[in-house]
Amino acid sequence: MSANTFLNYINGEWVGGASTFENRNPANTEEVVGLFVKGSPEDIAGAAAAAQAAFPAWAAMPAPARGNILFKAAEILDRKFDQISAEMTREEGKTLPEAKGEVRRAINIFRYFAGEGSRQPGLLVPSERERVHMFAVRKPLGVVGLITPWNFPSAIPAWKLAPALIAGNTVVLKPASAAPLSAWRLVEALHEAGIPKGVVNFVAGSGGALGQALVDAPPLKAVSFTGSCEIGNWLHAEASRRRLRIQLEMGGKNPTIVLADADFALAVENTVNGAFFSTGQKCTATSRAIVEESIYDRFVDALVERTRKLRVGNGMEPGVDIGPAVDQGQLETDLRYIEIGRRECGEPRCGGRRLTGGAYDKGYFVEPTIFADVTEEMTIANEEIFGPVLAVMRAKDFADALRIANRVPFGLSASIQTTNVSRVFEYVYGMEAGLLTVNLPSAGVEYQLPFGGSKDSSFGPKEQGPAALEFFTDYKTVYLKY
Ligand code: NAP
């Protein structure tokens, strides 16, 4: 295996395999960021068995001691902050400032859950009976499978790994094939921090080849998945057959509602940020701007003017706002939806092409694209694209905007731009989404509060914040007569 090969991590050992797959830079496909060992179903079975063997001792370790290992891993990541951030830009394409923001978040998530090791509150309530003491303690589930996507290749693995581990579970992590290095670095840090063998296991390789083995692994008790609805729904059916606990975070078609009373310049900035930053490849990205009629034309003009100023390019270069699509497949999806948009509502108001010439020829670059006068039935108003494509829609008034916003089956995130406090509260109570923002972009979450969607976007308990422990623990209830 070459020096640039990243091995799988099973039972505390770095292990090779029969073959590898390439992790290429989407901004410059001539650059191979690393070679990853293609894991096999047998590797998954071995990882699950190792996790099972490691579980009793890990679960018995005092939770603050587990926290110390997470604190140490956070420190190790912090020391490699610049290197890990640059690697993320090279493997996923997001700009370096965005990658730094994400690595910082992953480190903070490790620290936050390390602290949870000293809390993990159970329940203590008075009994109706004399001299009976009753309480409920949290206990871990056992071996959990974590399956993660490429778009937040460090933060999402971190926000699954850290609560799973602090609660006393042992894990098998299957990262996204398009960007496995960022997750690998988290596992490397846990290894260097001295996590006992078998507690964390990492198996890279195609989800199609490994997914069934993971969900069939006898020791598995739960699966936490973030990714597409298609795979999430398939996993749900498979996991339910075995009555595994399951948590799914999936797609969205997130709206930003813009009312006539909004701070106009801020609303433009927030909509552009939500739609195009990270190349529109955030699950919480804005893909529909629903704008009140009276400011519609002026708002579209301002959006277009601002969007034309965005610089698309290699995310390592200073001044670049938007990197490439993550791979050929996502590029083709973006271009296909842009063609559908053209057929449905004519030429986009800006963008609409793959960027070519010079350095662009080496990567998967698409212009940020705005379609105006998109109507409710159009495909681009209903299907997740996961690229830099914004559909701008007209609404008669707030009630109409809210109706349009809610008419899709997704319910991940939503944003409103307004200065009217009553509209804000009507939106807070009426908007069908798990994550709401007000006068902010629809994307951009912190780790201290629950995260997750509603409707077809999600299933199961929320991630992040104190809520994360709900998925990764169970209660044991005790009635004690003294
Ligand atoms: P994806 O294709 O569903 O892949 C997600 C993960 O599932 C990857 O690790 C993938 O492995 C794996 N996988 C593929 N087939 C599998 C199978 N049969 N069994 C088990 N695992 C399998 O999604 P993606 O393209 O990486 O990510 C984009 C999607 O994620 C979008 O829909 C986006 O909205 C969603 N997302 C949602 C959230 C949220 O919090 N709601 C956050 C981020 C992203 P391979 O990489 O090897 O195919």
Side-chain angles (χ1 to χ4, degrees):
M1 302 251 163
S2 88
N4 204 17
T5 303
F6 295 90
L7 304 180
N8 286 328
Y9 185 66
I10 300 172
N11 202 23
E13 306 280 337
W14 299 104
V15 297
S19 59
T20 57
F21 63 95
E22 287 177 347
N23 176 12
R24 279 189 186 265
N25 182 342
N28 173 10
T29 53
E30 288 171 3
E31 184 196 355
V32 177
V33 179
L35 296 174
F36 279 77
V37 169
K38 205 183 270 181
S40 64
E42 292 72 35
D43 289 327
I44 291 281
Q52 186 176 33
F55 174 66
W58 182 246
M61 184 187 280
R66 294 196 293 263
N68 286 339
I69 295 176
L70 286 184
F71 275 127
K72 203 162 168 201
E75 244 176 78
I76 292 165
L77 292 167
D78 222 344
R79 280 205 297 276
K80 297 181 186 167
F81 177 80
D82 288 331
Q83 175 204 335
I84 296 176
S85 303
E87 283 172 349
M88 186 188 293
T89 295
R90 286 165 54 224
E91 74 165 348
E92 201 270 354
K94 64 180 65 181
T95 65
L96 188 57
E98 286 174 323
K100 285 184 173 174
E102 182 178 341
V103 173
R104 177 58 51 212
R105 183 137 64 99
I107 293 169
N108 289 345
I109 288 166
F110 267 36
R111 293 203 169 114
Y112 174 88
F113 284 105
E116 284 299 293
S118 310
R119 286 183 285 267
Q120 303 212 3
L123 297 169
L124 176 63
V125 294
S127 170
E128 290 187 349
R129 292 170 282 181
E130 293 282 339
R131 296 178 68 80
V132 168
H133 185 71
M134 52 192 266
F135 59 98
V137 292
R138 285 181 187 274
K139 63 182 186 70
L141 305 177
V143 180
V144 301
L146 311 178
I147 303 176
T148 55
W150 47 262
N151 66 329
F152 285 103
S154 185
I156 294 178
W159 84 49
K160 293 185 192 297
L161 275 170
L165 293 173
I166 201 66
N169 301 284
T170 54
V171 308
V172 178
L173 170 64
K174 203 313 267 171
S177 300
L181 181 52
S182 300
W184 192 92
R185 288 288 177 212
L186 300 179
V187 173
E188 179 193 47
L190 288 163
H191 170 71
E192 289 175 7
I195 199 151
K197 71 174 190 170
V199 171
V200 171
N201 301 273
F202 173 100
V203 183
S206 129
L210 303 182
Q212 190 77 53
L214 184 60
V215 85
D216 285 345
L220 210 72
K221 292 287 186 287
V223 186
S224 176
F225 167 85
T226 300
S228 62
C229 291
E230 183 197 350
I231 304 297
N233 292 336
W234 174 81
L235 267 175
H236 179 257
E238 292 297 302
S240 302
R241 238 181 349 98
R242 288 190 53 200
R243 289 191 289 169
L244 297 180
R245 186 178 283 203
I246 188 158
Q247 174 179 56
L248 304 171
E249 284 303 335
M250 303 178 288
K253 189 71 191 169
N254 312 306
T256 290
I257 295 173
V258 184
L259 298 186
D261 60 44
D263 176 330
F264 191 86
L266 181 69
V268 171
E269 208 52 43
N270 286 339
T271 307
V272 168
N273 177 308
F276 300 126
F277 282 43
S278 293
T279 322
Q281 298 176 152
K282 293 178 183 168
C283 49
T284 48
T286 294
S287 59
R288 297 177 292 153
I290 304 169
V291 185
E292 211 171 349
E293 185 103 71
S294 59
I295 59 161
Y296 183 89
D297 292 330
R298 192 160 67 91
F299 192 76
V300 172
D301 289 345
L303 274 184
V304 169
E305 192 189 329
R306 176 70 184 91
T307 300
R308 288 205 170 116
K309 292 191 182 128
L310 296 174
R311 259 192 74 201
V312 181
N314 187 325
M316 292 299 285
E317 287 169 21
V320 163
D321 300 298
I322 295 176
V326 74
D327 61 13
Q328 179 78 32
Q330 187 59 52
L331 172 77
E332 283 167 10
T333 301
D334 295 349
L335 296 174
R336 182 162 52 83
Y337 275 106
I338 289 171
E339 279 321 302
I340 291 172
R342 273 202 175 90
R343 282 203 301 278
E344 287 181 325
C345 68
E347 260 315 288
R349 287 289 304 272
C350 67
R353 288 175 307 129
R354 178 177 185 172
L355 285 157
T356 53
Y360 285 137
D361 287 340
K362 292 184 183 171
Y364 306 119
F365 296 98
V366 190
E367 290 177 326
T369 300
I370 297 179
F371 285 101
D373 292 314
V374 175
T375 55
E376 292 174 34
E377 312 70 33
M378 290 180 184
T379 310
I380 58 168
N382 289 285
E383 293 183 12
E384 183 183 48
I385 302 171
F386 220 53
V389 182
L390 177 66
V392 194
M393 309 172 76
R394 271 177 210 272
K396 288 197 276 293
D397 51 24
F398 167 71
D400 193 36
L402 190 63
R403 181 192 60 75
I404 296 170
N406 279 336
R407 72 177 293 282
V408 296
F410 298 107
L412 189 50
S413 76
S415 160
I416 192 167
Q417 309 293 315
T418 181
T419 51
N420 182 321
V421 82
S422 292
R423 294 291 101 79
V424 168
F425 276 93
E426 284 159 11
Y427 156 83
V428 165
Y429 290 106
M431 183 70 225
E432 297 163 2
L435 179 86
L436 304 181
T437 73
V438 178
N439 297 325
L440 286 167
S442 65
V445 303
E446 300 191 33
Y447 53 87
Q448 310 93 313
L449 282 176
F451 171 79
S454 60
K455 295 162 82 176
D456 287 358
S457 292
S458 302
F459 181 81
K462 298 278 186 257
E463 304 200 84
Q464 307 205 61
L469 292 179
E470 297 303 326
F471 179 73
F472 289 111
T473 59
D474 212 348
Y475 281 112
K476 186 180 277 182
T477 302
V478 182
Y479 299 95
L480 187 155
K481 176 88 175 165
Y482 60 95

